[in-house]
Amino acid sequence: LEDLDDKHFYFHEVAGWKVYDSTTSSLVGEAVMVLDHGPYPLLQVDREGLECLIPLPAHVSIRVDRKAGALYVALPVGVMEIYLNPGTQEDEEGEEDLGY
């Protein structure tokens, strides 16, 4: 395979790499794999036992640090809050029954 620049990576090479939020430099978790389904790939990340999926459409900024085994991703707004602040049972009970 040809060498890639610091904005691209092969899906198979990132398993086990650390994933960071590029805007805050905070650790998101460890990359498990890239799921290539649908309109764009999803980066599956293990955050201390919690599975998180980060969408990777073409416009998302990514920086690759192969020497450190790290990905720096400009996370879409609110994506981590979905996993870190799940709804409560009261939220679900308050939803209207749509009869599906």
Side-chain angles (χ1 to χ4, degrees), residues 42-74:
L42 298 170
L43 180 62
Q44 182 180 351
V45 176
D46 177 8
R47 182 180 176 101
E48 299 177 0
L50 178 66
E51 177 188 277
C52 304
L53 298 175
I54 300 173
L56 298 175
H59 67 275
V60 169
S61 175
I62 298 171
R63 184 171 60 86
V64 178
D65 184 343
R66 284 183 175 76
K67 287 184 181 181
L71 286 177
Y72 293 84
V73 180

Side-chain angles (χ1 to χ4, degrees), residues 70-85:
L71 286 177
Y72 293 84
V73 180
L75 297 177
V77 175
V79 74
M80 290 309 295
E81 285 73 18
I82 293 169
Y83 299 103
L84 301 177
N85 301 313

Side-chain angles (χ1 to χ4, degrees), residues 8-70:
H8 299 91
F9 59 89
Y10 292 109
F11 290 173
H12 69 274
E13 74 178 316
V14 299
W17 287 12
K18 299 294 183 193
V19 178
Y20 295 91
D21 179 347
S22 63
T23 58
T24 64
S25 296
S26 61
L27 179 65
V28 174
E30 184 176 307
V32 175
M33 69 172 61
V34 178
L35 305 167
D36 193 16
H37 304 290
Y40 45 78
L42 298 170
L43 180 62
Q44 182 180 351
V45 176
D46 177 8
R47 182 180 176 101
E48 299 177 0
L50 178 66
E51 177 188 277
C52 304
L53 298 175
I54 300 173
L56 298 175
H59 67 275
V60 169
S61 175
I62 298 171
R63 184 171 60 86
V64 178
D65 184 343
R66 284 183 175 76
K67 287 184 181 181

